[in-house]
Amino acid sequence: MKQITLRQSQNSDVETIANLRAIVLRNDLTRLGRFDEEKVRQRFRNAFDSVHTWIIEADSSFVGCIAFKPTLDGYLLEHFYIHPNYQGKGVGSQVLKNLLEQNYVKGKRVTLNVLQGSSARRLYERFGFKVESEDLIDVYMSVIVEENSRTVEGL
């Protein structure tokens, strides 16, 4: 696999990420009857925070992004998108593993939501995320990161 690196996003990355979001979410949102290409992009633009968003690169090429925002009891993981050309090649696992091994995450709760039926749910489950609640569109999951880098069950 190519060398995976993260760099902090800049405001100029917003359209590149918004376009990737539309590509990555298209099939799941279409299946759920919720895909609107412009709304998918605009929702990202409205939530984008370059301070807490990182660009995932493989040998200096853009392959995805991830946002990791502090919350009252830990962190919110969101906007974790890997370009389809790089999915299934271990990129998401490598990024998530590295993120959860950071010292500042130890002992904290990491929460996220994933679309119903999304294959990404399996990735999160492999890292110990457990379902806290769900609705017709989203599955809300969390994990508490142990001090020794392994994860334990959520609530």
Side-chain angles (χ1 to χ4, degrees):
M1 181 181 1
K2 295 180 175 188
Q3 177 65 33
I4 302 299
T5 57
L6 297 178
R7 71 164 172 83
Q8 187 165 5
S9 68
Q10 302 171 11
N11 287 334
S12 59
D13 292 315
V14 69
E15 289 307 314
T16 300
I17 300 171
N19 290 336
L20 177 62
R21 183 177 197 265
I23 291 167
V24 170
L25 296 183
R26 177 185 300 272
N27 289 341
D28 285 332
L29 287 173
T30 298
R31 178 180 41 77
L32 294 168
R34 307 282 288 200
F35 186 74
D36 177 311
E37 193 149 351
E38 185 49 37
K39 283 183 182 177
V40 166
R41 286 181 172 86
Q42 192 57 49
R43 281 191 71 189
F44 177 77
R45 290 180 195 117
N46 292 345
F48 179 64
D49 178 357
S50 64
V51 172
H52 298 293
T53 304
W54 285 265
I55 301 299
I56 303 165
E57 296 178 328
D59 294 337
S60 300
S61 296
F62 173 80
V63 300
C65 65
I66 188 169
F68 202 61
K69 298 179 180 177
T71 63
L72 290 177
D73 68 343
Y75 293 90
L76 173 64
L77 188 159
E78 61 182 355
H79 305 301
F80 191 12
Y81 310 123
I82 306 294
H83 191 281
N85 292 346
Y86 291 88
Q87 290 177 6
K89 298 181 180 181
V91 174
S93 293
Q94 183 178 338
V95 170
L96 192 54
K97 178 181 184 293
N98 290 340
L99 183 69
L100 296 176
E101 288 179 345
Q102 298 303 308
N103 283 332
Y104 65 89
V105 181
K106 307 270 189 225
K108 305 289 186 182
R109 177 179 305 280
V110 177
T111 59
L112 60 85
N113 69 289
V114 63
L115 291 170
Q116 286 284 2
S118 171
S119 59
R121 179 174 170 173
R122 289 190 305 274
L123 169 68
Y124 302 128
E125 289 171 340
R126 283 196 311 270
F127 281 87
F129 284 83
K130 301 292 182 191
V131 174
E132 289 186 351
S133 65
E134 53 188 296
D135 59 32
L136 293 174
I137 305 299
D138 293 299
V139 178
Y140 299 89
M141 305 177 80
S142 74
V143 68
I144 297 175
V145 181
E146 287 187 347
E147 296 297 324
N148 64 1
S149 298
R150 292 178 319 162
T151 53
V152 296
E153 290 186 21
L155 288 177

